[in-house]
Amino acid sequence: MSRTGTLHPAALALPARLENSKAVDALVLEHPGRLSTRASDTPAAPGPGEVLVRVHRVGVCDTDLQAYRGRHPFFTYPQILGHELGVEILEVGTGVENVDVGDRCAVEPYLSCGHCVACRHGKPNCCAWLQVMGVHVDGGMRRHFVVPAEKLYASSKLSFDQLALVEPLAVAAHSIRRAALQPDETVAVVGADARGLAVIQFAQLAGCRVIAIDSCQQRLKRCREYLGLPEEDLVETTSGDAVDQLLELTCGELPMTVFDTTGTAGSMLASFAYPAHGGQLVFAGLFSGDVSFHDPSFQLRELSLLASRNAHPQDFEYVLQLMEDGMVDPAAWITHRTTLHDTAALFEAWAQSDASGLKAMIHLT
């Protein structure tokens, strides 16, 4: 399914004032609310199975903003942010065969142990000892670093912008695969920010009818402009009870699958009311706190509750192929561009804004 709508002007070119900005080597989140710049260490030569990469693009994710606010449950300080990356290979270590010098690559930023119960059962995305670049260990908001070669996905067709968007799209694709959607199923997606748009797109690719739910009319408008959702399948929670609107749209049955991508307690609690009898609720967002629900209603409908975390290698391969084939193109979702030098000054505004914007892209070259 091709993306509908037109490119946002900000996605077309980096303003000249940014092209001339002063160079910075690395951006570190020292503690909540404080970013600092520093000169990064001289990059080490890659060891066996490793590659040295030059970072060209870094996408700013809600994970980064949550960490900045001090609200991410897994983040450790201080840390170099950045896990949505478009990189170029500068040097390869011995034994590397899947990529070569000069390749443009997306990065799978999840470092799993390979031995725990989750890894042994084919779920490295939720490894018991998982280390995520930019969350548990230093990420990619720096000019160079060494990466395991097996975590790189090369493409001669995709731009660095597109490669930096592979990871968030893979996370969305994993959520859809986790839910095992059926063609022609009616699905509701709560939250129409960048993560929600990605989930909507992959639900459409799975052959589903999608209803978008959000409190912001501007975000819902993007669902129509970018992904072609009809006006009647946009539910604005401030205009009336969302359950009543869903009942009307589904002839009294409600959706079989509901994804909540918001990572906010109020929304996640409200989402328990949205699935049909025998349906399922998938939490594709994350926040630092507890979610409670009304057990009789949960039991009455025999609901299934799923969490979705990160992505599998097959999700990266799937997304890369779709993007190379022109089936998925989220370029219009890039609404802000900046350089590493100017990022620290902008982070406070991004963290405090309503979520009407979508995706900021940091240029390191």
Side-chain angles (χ1 to χ4, degrees):
M1 180 182 299
S2 298
R3 177 186 57 81
T4 60
T6 58
L7 285 175
H8 189 287
L12 300 179
L14 185 68
R17 68 173 184 84
L18 298 181
E19 292 176 348
N20 298 324
S21 295
K22 181 181 177 182
V24 165
D25 287 327
L27 191 65
V28 183
L29 183 57
E30 302 286 356
H31 53 73
R34 177 168 174 76
L35 283 162
S36 66
T37 57
R38 75 179 186 203
S40 56
D41 298 331
T42 301
E50 296 178 336
V51 301
L52 174 65
V53 301
R54 180 181 185 182
V55 181
H56 286 260
R57 299 288 188 276
V58 184
V60 177
C61 175
D62 187 57
T63 294
D64 304 314
L65 299 176
Q66 282 184 310
Y68 182 84
R69 300 182 192 110
R71 299 176 187 172
H72 195 285
F74 306 141
F75 196 86
T76 56
Y77 303 87
Q79 204 75 257
I80 296 176
L81 292 171
H83 61 277
E84 299 180 359
L85 307 173
V87 305
E88 174 190 3
I89 296 178
L90 299 181
E91 186 179 350
V92 301
T94 59
V96 173
E97 297 181 353
N98 61 312
V99 290
D100 206 346
V101 172
D103 284 351
R104 298 193 301 269
C105 299
V107 179
E108 178 192 337
Y110 323 127
L111 306 173
S112 53
C113 73
H115 306 294
C116 72
V117 61
C119 289
R120 295 198 311 271
H121 285 78
K123 298 182 178 182
N125 61 303
C126 58
C127 166
W129 309 107
L130 188 69
Q131 301 280 285
V132 179
M133 300 176 196
V135 177
H136 306 93
V137 296
D138 282 340
M141 286 192 191
R142 47 181 161 164
R143 298 197 177 277
H144 310 91
F145 71 117
V146 172
V147 184
E150 65 180 2
K151 298 299 180 180
L152 295 175
Y153 298 81
S155 174
S156 61
K157 296 182 179 180
L158 301 183
S159 68
F160 288 118
D161 276 356
Q162 292 171 308
L163 290 165
L165 293 169
V166 169
E167 191 274 345
L169 291 175
V171 170
H174 176 69
S175 297
I176 298 300
R177 188 165 58 83
R178 180 122 167 79
L181 299 181
Q182 302 300 311
D184 299 321
E185 181 179 336
T186 297
V187 170
V189 177
V190 185
D193 59 1
R195 181 177 297 171
L197 284 179
V199 171
I200 290 169
Q201 180 147 53
F202 285 105
Q204 290 176 319
L205 288 167
C208 298
R209 175 200 179 189
V210 183
I211 299 170
I213 304 173
D214 202 289
S215 61
C216 176
Q217 188 175 33
Q218 184 179 356
R219 290 193 294 262
L220 290 172
K221 181 180 177 182
R222 289 195 176 103
C223 296
R224 184 175 68 251
E225 292 178 347
Y226 296 166
L227 300 175
L229 263 64
E231 185 72 35
E232 59 267 23
D233 284 346
L234 306 177
V235 173
E236 187 177 348
T237 56
T238 58
S239 64
D241 184 84
V243 174
D244 289 342
Q245 295 180 70
L246 285 172
L247 285 168
E248 183 176 353
L249 289 171
T250 58
C251 300
E253 292 188 338
L254 295 176
M256 283 301 295
T257 299
V258 176
F259 296 89
D260 191 299
T261 70
T262 65
T264 61
S267 174
M268 294 165 75
L269 174 59
S271 291
F272 278 92
Y274 301 156
H277 283 248
Q280 61 181 345
L281 173 60
V282 183
F283 283 155
L286 172 69
F287 84 108
S288 184
D290 299 329
V291 177
S292 60
F293 57 89
H294 185 246
D295 186 56
S297 177
F298 185 77
Q299 295 283 353
L300 178 69
R301 287 173 288 155
E302 197 184 47
L303 297 182
S304 297
L305 177 62
L306 301 175
S308 182
R309 187 183 184 197
N310 300 325
H312 286 195
Q314 68 193 85
D315 300 311
F316 280 81
E317 294 166 356
Y318 171 62
V319 167
L320 204 68
Q321 189 63 60
L322 286 175
M323 293 180 75
E324 289 185 340
D325 290 344
M327 299 289 286
V328 173
D329 182 7
W333 305 357
I334 302 172
T335 52
H336 304 78
R337 291 185 183 275
T338 187
T339 64
L340 196 61
H341 175 267
D342 291 334
T343 297
L346 295 170
F347 236 77
E348 180 66 26
W350 293 340
Q352 297 302 324
S353 69
D354 66 14
S356 57
L358 287 176
K359 178 63 65 176
M361 189 66 68
I362 300 171
H363 289 236
L364 282 84
T365 57

mmCIF file of all heavy atoms in Angstrom, residues 303-343:
data_model
loop_
_atom_site.group_PDB
_atom_site.id
_atom_site.type_symbol
_atom_site.label_atom_id
_atom_site.label_comp_id
_atom_site.label_asym_id
_atom_site.label_seq_id
_atom_site.Cartn_x
_atom_site.Cartn_y
_atom_site.Cartn_z
ATOM 1 N N LEU A 303 -10.747 -11.028 27.652
ATOM 2 C CA LEU A 303 -9.781 -10.281 26.862
ATOM 3 C C LEU A 303 -8.384 -10.876 26.996
ATOM 4 O O LEU A 303 -8.045 -11.469 28.017
ATOM 5 C CB LEU A 303 -9.745 -8.815 27.309
ATOM 6 C CG LEU A 303 -11.024 -8.002 27.125
ATOM 7 C CD1 LEU A 303 -10.773 -6.564 27.571
ATOM 8 C CD2 LEU A 303 -11.503 -8.034 25.684
ATOM 9 N N SER A 304 -7.581 -10.674 25.961
ATOM 10 C CA SER A 304 -6.155 -10.995 26.008
ATOM 11 C C SER A 304 -5.393 -9.676 26.082
ATOM 12 O O SER A 304 -5.692 -8.728 25.348
ATOM 13 C CB SER A 304 -5.715 -11.768 24.767
ATOM 14 O OG SER A 304 -6.373 -13.014 24.692
ATOM 15 N N LEU A 305 -4.414 -9.609 26.971
ATOM 16 C CA LEU A 305 -3.596 -8.421 27.128
ATOM 17 C C LEU A 305 -2.163 -8.761 26.750
ATOM 18 O O LEU A 305 -1.572 -9.696 27.297
ATOM 19 C CB LEU A 305 -3.641 -7.920 28.576
ATOM 20 C CG LEU A 305 -2.771 -6.712 28.926
ATOM 21 C CD1 LEU A 305 -3.188 -5.487 28.111
ATOM 22 C CD2 LEU A 305 -2.845 -6.409 30.415
ATOM 23 N N LEU A 306 -1.608 -8.018 25.786
ATOM 24 C CA LEU A 306 -0.260 -8.279 25.285
ATOM 25 C C LEU A 306 0.613 -7.033 25.441
ATOM 26 O O LEU A 306 0.140 -5.907 25.295
ATOM 27 C CB LEU A 306 -0.288 -8.663 23.801
ATOM 28 C CG LEU A 306 -1.092 -9.898 23.399
ATOM 29 C CD1 LEU A 306 -1.096 -10.040 21.882
ATOM 30 C CD2 LEU A 306 -0.522 -11.143 24.044
ATOM 31 N N ALA A 307 1.877 -7.270 25.726
ATOM 32 C CA ALA A 307 2.882 -6.209 25.635
ATOM 33 C C ALA A 307 3.675 -6.429 24.356
ATOM 34 O O ALA A 307 3.822 -7.560 23.884
ATOM 35 C CB ALA A 307 3.813 -6.247 26.844
ATOM 36 N N SER A 308 4.181 -5.337 23.794
ATOM 37 C CA SER A 308 5.026 -5.435 22.605
ATOM 38 C C SER A 308 6.257 -4.586 22.841
ATOM 39 O O SER A 308 6.154 -3.370 23.063
ATOM 40 C CB SER A 308 4.264 -4.951 21.367
ATOM 41 O OG SER A 308 5.059 -5.075 20.208
ATOM 42 N N ARG A 309 7.427 -5.236 22.799
ATOM 43 C CA ARG A 309 8.678 -4.534 23.105
ATOM 44 C C ARG A 309 9.687 -4.700 21.967
ATOM 45 O O ARG A 309 9.944 -5.823 21.522
ATOM 46 C CB ARG A 309 9.276 -5.074 24.409
ATOM 47 C CG ARG A 309 10.495 -4.273 24.866
ATOM 48 C CD ARG A 309 11.123 -4.839 26.118
ATOM 49 N NE ARG A 309 12.231 -3.971 26.550
ATOM 50 C CZ ARG A 309 13.182 -4.334 27.401
ATOM 51 N NH1 ARG A 309 13.169 -5.547 27.938
ATOM 52 N NH2 ARG A 309 14.135 -3.493 27.722
ATOM 53 N N ASN A 310 10.224 -3.623 21.490
ATOM 54 C CA ASN A 310 11.300 -3.637 20.498
ATOM 55 C C ASN A 310 10.876 -4.403 19.242
ATOM 56 O O ASN A 310 9.734 -4.337 18.839
ATOM 57 C CB ASN A 310 12.580 -4.210 21.113
ATOM 58 C CG ASN A 310 13.064 -3.409 22.302
ATOM 59 O OD1 ASN A 310 12.924 -2.196 22.321
ATOM 60 N ND2 ASN A 310 13.614 -4.077 23.304
ATOM 61 N N ALA A 311 11.797 -5.135 18.621
ATOM 62 C CA ALA A 311 11.512 -5.838 17.371
ATOM 63 C C ALA A 311 12.497 -6.983 17.195
ATOM 64 O O ALA A 311 13.530 -7.046 17.865
ATOM 65 C CB ALA A 311 11.608 -4.873 16.189
ATOM 66 N N HIS A 312 12.154 -7.886 16.279
ATOM 67 C CA HIS A 312 13.010 -9.020 15.950
ATOM 68 C C HIS A 312 13.802 -8.705 14.675
ATOM 69 O O HIS A 312 13.394 -7.851 13.882
ATOM 70 C CB HIS A 312 12.165 -10.265 15.695
ATOM 71 C CG HIS A 312 11.588 -10.867 16.932
ATOM 72 N ND1 HIS A 312 11.055 -12.136 16.945
ATOM 73 C CD2 HIS A 312 11.458 -10.407 18.199
ATOM 74 C CE1 HIS A 312 10.626 -12.414 18.155
ATOM 75 N NE2 HIS A 312 10.855 -11.378 18.930
ATOM 76 N N PRO A 313 14.888 -9.427 14.417
ATOM 77 C CA PRO A 313 15.597 -9.245 13.144
ATOM 78 C C PRO A 313 14.679 -9.396 11.932
ATOM 79 O O PRO A 313 14.824 -8.645 10.953
ATOM 80 C CB PRO A 313 16.665 -10.340 13.192
ATOM 81 C CG PRO A 313 16.954 -10.513 14.644
ATOM 82 C CD PRO A 313 15.621 -10.329 15.330
ATOM 83 N N GLN A 314 13.743 -10.315 11.981
ATOM 84 C CA GLN A 314 12.861 -10.504 10.828
ATOM 85 C C GLN A 314 11.983 -9.281 10.594
ATOM 86 O O GLN A 314 11.570 -9.007 9.454
ATOM 87 C CB GLN A 314 11.993 -11.747 11.012
ATOM 88 C CG GLN A 314 10.964 -11.660 12.112
ATOM 89 C CD GLN A 314 10.359 -13.014 12.440
ATOM 90 O OE1 GLN A 314 10.895 -13.780 13.226
ATOM 91 N NE2 GLN A 314 9.233 -13.314 11.830
ATOM 92 N N ASP A 315 11.687 -8.522 11.656
ATOM 93 C CA ASP A 315 10.921 -7.289 11.488
ATOM 94 C C ASP A 315 11.741 -6.244 10.737
ATOM 95 O O ASP A 315 11.213 -5.521 9.889
ATOM 96 C CB ASP A 315 10.488 -6.747 12.845
ATOM 97 C CG ASP A 315 9.617 -7.722 13.619
ATOM 98 O OD1 ASP A 315 8.660 -8.229 13.026
ATOM 99 O OD2 ASP A 315 9.902 -7.971 14.804
ATOM 100 N N PHE A 316 13.034 -6.160 11.053
ATOM 101 C CA PHE A 316 13.914 -5.236 10.328
ATOM 102 C C PHE A 316 13.993 -5.625 8.857
ATOM 103 O O PHE A 316 13.929 -4.764 7.965
ATOM 104 C CB PHE A 316 15.307 -5.234 10.955
ATOM 105 C CG PHE A 316 15.411 -4.397 12.195
ATOM 106 C CD1 PHE A 316 14.994 -4.891 13.419
ATOM 107 C CD2 PHE A 316 15.911 -3.106 12.132
ATOM 108 C CE1 PHE A 316 15.076 -4.117 14.571
ATOM 109 C CE2 PHE A 316 16.000 -2.317 13.277
ATOM 110 C CZ PHE A 316 15.577 -2.828 14.507
ATOM 111 N N GLU A 317 14.144 -6.904 8.576
ATOM 112 C CA GLU A 317 14.236 -7.362 7.188
ATOM 113 C C GLU A 317 12.948 -7.079 6.429
ATOM 114 O O GLU A 317 12.976 -6.649 5.265
ATOM 115 C CB GLU A 317 14.557 -8.858 7.179
ATOM 116 C CG GLU A 317 15.946 -9.177 7.736
ATOM 117 C CD GLU A 317 16.137 -10.652 8.035
ATOM 118 O OE1 GLU A 317 15.151 -11.410 7.884
ATOM 119 O OE2 GLU A 317 17.246 -11.042 8.435
ATOM 120 N N TYR A 318 11.821 -7.305 7.080
ATOM 121 C CA TYR A 318 10.508 -7.059 6.477
ATOM 122 C C TYR A 318 10.332 -5.582 6.136
ATOM 123 O O TYR A 318 9.944 -5.217 5.016
ATOM 124 C CB TYR A 318 9.435 -7.532 7.449
ATOM 125 C CG TYR A 318 8.007 -7.178 7.098
ATOM 126 C CD1 TYR A 318 7.410 -7.645 5.926
ATOM 127 C CD2 TYR A 318 7.237 -6.406 7.964
ATOM 128 C CE1 TYR A 318 6.087 -7.344 5.620
ATOM 129 C CE2 TYR A 318 5.921 -6.097 7.672
ATOM 130 C CZ TYR A 318 5.352 -6.566 6.497
ATOM 131 O OH TYR A 318 4.047 -6.260 6.198
ATOM 132 N N VAL A 319 10.657 -4.706 7.091
ATOM 133 C CA VAL A 319 10.505 -3.272 6.878
ATOM 134 C C VAL A 319 11.442 -2.782 5.779
ATOM 135 O O VAL A 319 11.043 -2.000 4.906
ATOM 136 C CB VAL A 319 10.765 -2.513 8.192
ATOM 137 C CG1 VAL A 319 10.918 -1.016 7.932
ATOM 138 C CG2 VAL A 319 9.637 -2.762 9.171
ATOM 139 N N LEU A 320 12.681 -3.249 5.811
ATOM 140 C CA LEU A 320 13.648 -2.823 4.804
ATOM 141 C C LEU A 320 13.155 -3.185 3.408
ATOM 142 O O LEU A 320 13.248 -2.375 2.469
ATOM 143 C CB LEU A 320 14.999 -3.477 5.086
ATOM 144 C CG LEU A 320 16.238 -2.766 4.552
ATOM 145 C CD1 LEU A 320 16.461 -1.457 5.289
ATOM 146 C CD2 LEU A 320 17.468 -3.645 4.689
ATOM 147 N N GLN A 321 12.614 -4.386 3.251
ATOM 148 C CA GLN A 321 12.119 -4.812 1.946
ATOM 149 C C GLN A 321 10.933 -3.961 1.498
ATOM 150 O O GLN A 321 10.847 -3.541 0.336
ATOM 151 C CB GLN A 321 11.720 -6.286 1.982
ATOM 152 C CG GLN A 321 11.389 -6.867 0.607
ATOM 153 C CD GLN A 321 12.585 -6.845 -0.316
ATOM 154 O OE1 GLN A 321 13.610 -7.451 -0.032
ATOM 155 N NE2 GLN A 321 12.469 -6.141 -1.444
ATOM 156 N N LEU A 322 10.010 -3.689 2.418
ATOM 157 C CA LEU A 322 8.854 -2.855 2.081
ATOM 158 C C LEU A 322 9.287 -1.456 1.656
ATOM 159 O O LEU A 322 8.745 -0.893 0.694
ATOM 160 C CB LEU A 322 7.917 -2.753 3.284
ATOM 161 C CG LEU A 322 7.078 -3.977 3.631
ATOM 162 C CD1 LEU A 322 6.309 -3.730 4.924
ATOM 163 C CD2 LEU A 322 6.107 -4.334 2.506
ATOM 164 N N MET A 323 10.266 -0.901 2.349
ATOM 165 C CA MET A 323 10.729 0.438 2.009
ATOM 166 C C MET A 323 11.448 0.447 0.665
ATOM 167 O O MET A 323 11.257 1.356 -0.147
ATOM 168 C CB MET A 323 11.629 0.975 3.117
ATOM 169 C CG MET A 323 10.895 1.228 4.427
ATOM 170 S SD MET A 323 11.961 1.865 5.751
ATOM 171 C CE MET A 323 12.182 3.567 5.221
ATOM 172 N N GLU A 324 12.259 -0.561 0.410
ATOM 173 C CA GLU A 324 12.948 -0.633 -0.881
ATOM 174 C C GLU A 324 11.971 -0.825 -2.031
ATOM 175 O O GLU A 324 12.207 -0.343 -3.139
ATOM 176 C CB GLU A 324 13.967 -1.773 -0.857
ATOM 177 C CG GLU A 324 15.172 -1.497 0.010
ATOM 178 C CD GLU A 324 16.230 -2.571 -0.067
ATOM 179 O OE1 GLU A 324 15.910 -3.716 -0.475
ATOM 180 O OE2 GLU A 324 17.393 -2.285 0.277
ATOM 181 N N ASP A 325 10.852 -1.502 -1.761
ATOM 182 C CA ASP A 325 9.835 -1.735 -2.795
ATOM 183 C C ASP A 325 8.868 -0.560 -2.933
ATOM 184 O O ASP A 325 7.964 -0.591 -3.769
ATOM 185 C CB ASP A 325 9.037 -2.999 -2.473
ATOM 186 C CG ASP A 325 9.856 -4.275 -2.631
ATOM 187 O OD1 ASP A 325 10.933 -4.212 -3.264
ATOM 188 O OD2 ASP A 325 9.431 -5.323 -2.108
ATOM 189 N N GLY A 326 9.040 0.475 -2.105
ATOM 190 C CA GLY A 326 8.168 1.638 -2.174
ATOM 191 C C GLY A 326 6.808 1.440 -1.541
ATOM 192 O O GLY A 326 5.902 2.266 -1.727
ATOM 193 N N MET A 327 6.642 0.380 -0.756
ATOM 194 C CA MET A 327 5.361 0.116 -0.113
ATOM 195 C C MET A 327 5.165 0.944 1.153
ATOM 196 O O MET A 327 4.044 1.198 1.581
ATOM 197 C CB MET A 327 5.257 -1.365 0.239
ATOM 198 C CG MET A 327 5.326 -2.301 -0.957
ATOM 199 S SD MET A 327 3.833 -2.208 -1.961
ATOM 200 C CE MET A 327 2.668 -3.091 -0.921
ATOM 201 N N VAL A 328 6.249 1.348 1.760
ATOM 202 C CA VAL A 328 6.206 2.172 2.971
ATOM 203 C C VAL A 328 7.210 3.307 2.786
ATOM 204 O O VAL A 328 8.376 3.057 2.484
ATOM 205 C CB VAL A 328 6.573 1.343 4.230
ATOM 206 C CG1 VAL A 328 6.684 2.250 5.450
ATOM 207 C CG2 VAL A 328 5.546 0.243 4.471
ATOM 208 N N ASP A 329 6.760 4.540 2.976
ATOM 209 C CA ASP A 329 7.649 5.694 2.865
ATOM 210 C C ASP A 329 7.211 6.749 3.879
ATOM 211 O O ASP A 329 6.320 7.549 3.614
ATOM 212 C CB ASP A 329 7.623 6.273 1.459
ATOM 213 C CG ASP A 329 8.580 7.459 1.317
ATOM 214 O OD1 ASP A 329 9.343 7.721 2.266
ATOM 215 O OD2 ASP A 329 8.549 8.121 0.272
ATOM 216 N N PRO A 330 7.824 6.754 5.060
ATOM 217 C CA PRO A 330 7.419 7.692 6.108
ATOM 218 C C PRO A 330 8.154 9.021 6.062
ATOM 219 O O PRO A 330 8.227 9.720 7.072
ATOM 220 C CB PRO A 330 7.776 6.914 7.383
ATOM 221 C CG PRO A 330 8.998 6.155 6.994
ATOM 222 C CD PRO A 330 8.841 5.806 5.526
ATOM 223 N N ALA A 331 8.701 9.407 4.914
ATOM 224 C CA ALA A 331 9.493 10.643 4.832
ATOM 225 C C ALA A 331 8.696 11.860 5.287
ATOM 226 O O ALA A 331 9.242 12.784 5.887
ATOM 227 C CB ALA A 331 9.999 10.836 3.409
ATOM 228 N N ALA A 332 7.384 11.865 5.021
ATOM 229 C CA ALA A 332 6.561 13.020 5.388
ATOM 230 C C ALA A 332 6.407 13.166 6.896
ATOM 231 O O ALA A 332 5.977 14.213 7.380
ATOM 232 C CB ALA A 332 5.179 12.902 4.731
ATOM 233 N N TRP A 333 6.739 12.129 7.645
ATOM 234 C CA TRP A 333 6.603 12.199 9.097
ATOM 235 C C TRP A 333 7.713 13.030 9.732
ATOM 236 O O TRP A 333 7.637 13.373 10.911
ATOM 237 C CB TRP A 333 6.600 10.794 9.698
ATOM 238 C CG TRP A 333 5.561 9.889 9.125
ATOM 239 C CD1 TRP A 333 4.611 10.197 8.183
ATOM 240 C CD2 TRP A 333 5.361 8.504 9.427
ATOM 241 N NE1 TRP A 333 3.848 9.095 7.884
ATOM 242 C CE2 TRP A 333 4.279 8.041 8.635
ATOM 243 C CE3 TRP A 333 5.991 7.612 10.290
ATOM 244 C CZ2 TRP A 333 3.819 6.731 8.691
ATOM 245 C CZ3 TRP A 333 5.524 6.299 10.342
ATOM 246 C CH2 TRP A 333 4.448 5.868 9.548
ATOM 247 N N ILE A 334 8.769 13.333 8.961
ATOM 248 C CA ILE A 334 9.871 14.144 9.486
ATOM 249 C C ILE A 334 9.419 15.600 9.479
ATOM 250 O O ILE A 334 9.281 16.220 8.431
ATOM 251 C CB ILE A 334 11.153 13.965 8.648
ATOM 252 C CG1 ILE A 334 11.572 12.492 8.620
ATOM 253 C CG2 ILE A 334 12.275 14.830 9.214
ATOM 254 C CD1 ILE A 334 12.716 12.196 7.667
ATOM 255 N N THR A 335 9.186 16.143 10.652
ATOM 256 C CA THR A 335 8.650 17.497 10.765
ATOM 257 C C THR A 335 9.683 18.503 11.257
ATOM 258 O O THR A 335 9.443 19.711 11.191
ATOM 259 C CB THR A 335 7.450 17.513 11.719
ATOM 260 O OG1 THR A 335 7.842 16.883 12.954
ATOM 261 C CG2 THR A 335 6.278 16.754 11.129
ATOM 262 N N HIS A 336 10.814 18.013 11.803
ATOM 263 C CA HIS A 336 11.844 18.916 12.313
ATOM 264 C C HIS A 336 13.218 18.383 11.909
ATOM 265 O O HIS A 336 13.439 17.173 11.907
ATOM 266 C CB HIS A 336 11.794 19.014 13.845
ATOM 267 C CG HIS A 336 10.476 19.432 14.396
ATOM 268 N ND1 HIS A 336 9.405 18.567 14.519
ATOM 269 C CD2 HIS A 336 10.051 20.638 14.852
ATOM 270 C CE1 HIS A 336 8.378 19.218 15.027
ATOM 271 N NE2 HIS A 336 8.745 20.470 15.246
ATOM 272 N N ARG A 337 14.112 19.295 11.582
ATOM 273 C CA ARG A 337 15.491 18.926 11.275
ATOM 274 C C ARG A 337 16.439 19.845 12.043
ATOM 275 O O ARG A 337 16.185 21.041 12.176
ATOM 276 C CB ARG A 337 15.785 19.018 9.774
ATOM 277 C CG ARG A 337 15.063 17.969 8.942
ATOM 278 C CD ARG A 337 15.493 18.044 7.482
ATOM 279 N NE ARG A 337 14.757 17.091 6.662
ATOM 280 C CZ ARG A 337 15.094 15.823 6.505
ATOM 281 N NH1 ARG A 337 16.163 15.354 7.117
ATOM 282 N NH2 ARG A 337 14.386 15.016 5.753
ATOM 283 N N THR A 338 17.526 19.283 12.512
ATOM 284 C CA THR A 338 18.507 20.076 13.234
ATOM 285 C C THR A 338 19.857 19.379 13.158
ATOM 286 O O THR A 338 19.978 18.302 12.556
ATOM 287 C CB THR A 338 18.081 20.281 14.697
ATOM 288 O OG1 THR A 338 18.977 21.197 15.331
ATOM 289 C CG2 THR A 338 18.086 18.967 15.463
ATOM 290 N N THR A 339 20.867 20.011 13.729
ATOM 291 C CA THR A 339 22.191 19.403 13.821
ATOM 292 C C THR A 339 22.437 18.959 15.258
ATOM 293 O O THR A 339 21.724 19.353 16.190
ATOM 294 C CB THR A 339 23.288 20.404 13.433
ATOM 295 O OG1 THR A 339 23.289 21.477 14.385
ATOM 296 C CG2 THR A 339 23.060 20.942 12.031
ATOM 297 N N LEU A 340 23.469 18.165 15.444
ATOM 298 C CA LEU A 340 23.817 17.718 16.791
ATOM 299 C C LEU A 340 24.136 18.912 17.683
ATOM 300 O O LEU A 340 23.777 18.937 18.868
ATOM 301 C CB LEU A 340 25.012 16.763 16.720
ATOM 302 C CG LEU A 340 25.284 15.902 17.949
ATOM 303 C CD1 LEU A 340 24.107 14.997 18.259
ATOM 304 C CD2 LEU A 340 26.549 15.074 17.750
ATOM 305 N N HIS A 341 24.772 19.925 17.117
ATOM 306 C CA HIS A 341 25.133 21.114 17.887
ATOM 307 C C HIS A 341 23.911 21.815 18.455
ATOM 308 O O HIS A 341 23.925 22.321 19.588
ATOM 309 C CB HIS A 341 25.936 22.082 17.010
ATOM 310 C CG HIS A 341 26.250 23.381 17.678
ATOM 311 N ND1 HIS A 341 25.452 24.496 17.554
ATOM 312 C CD2 HIS A 341 27.273 23.745 18.494
ATOM 313 C CE1 HIS A 341 25.968 25.485 18.255
ATOM 314 N NE2 HIS A 341 27.078 25.058 18.831
ATOM 315 N N ASP A 342 22.826 21.892 17.694
ATOM 316 C CA ASP A 342 21.638 22.639 18.111
ATOM 317 C C ASP A 342 20.613 21.800 18.856
ATOM 318 O O ASP A 342 19.628 22.332 19.375
ATOM 319 C CB ASP A 342 20.963 23.261 16.877
ATOM 320 C CG ASP A 342 21.796 24.368 16.255
ATOM 321 O OD1 ASP A 342 22.592 24.978 16.987
ATOM 322 O OD2 ASP A 342 21.651 24.599 15.048
ATOM 323 N N THR A 343 20.823 20.491 18.936
ATOM 324 C CA THR A 343 19.810 19.605 19.508
ATOM 325 C C THR A 343 19.544 19.894 20.976
ATOM 326 O O THR A 343 18.385 19.926 21.414
ATOM 327 C CB THR A 343 20.224 18.137 19.322
ATOM 328 O OG1 THR A 343 20.288 17.831 17.921
ATOM 329 C CG2 THR A 343 19.225 17.197 19.976
#
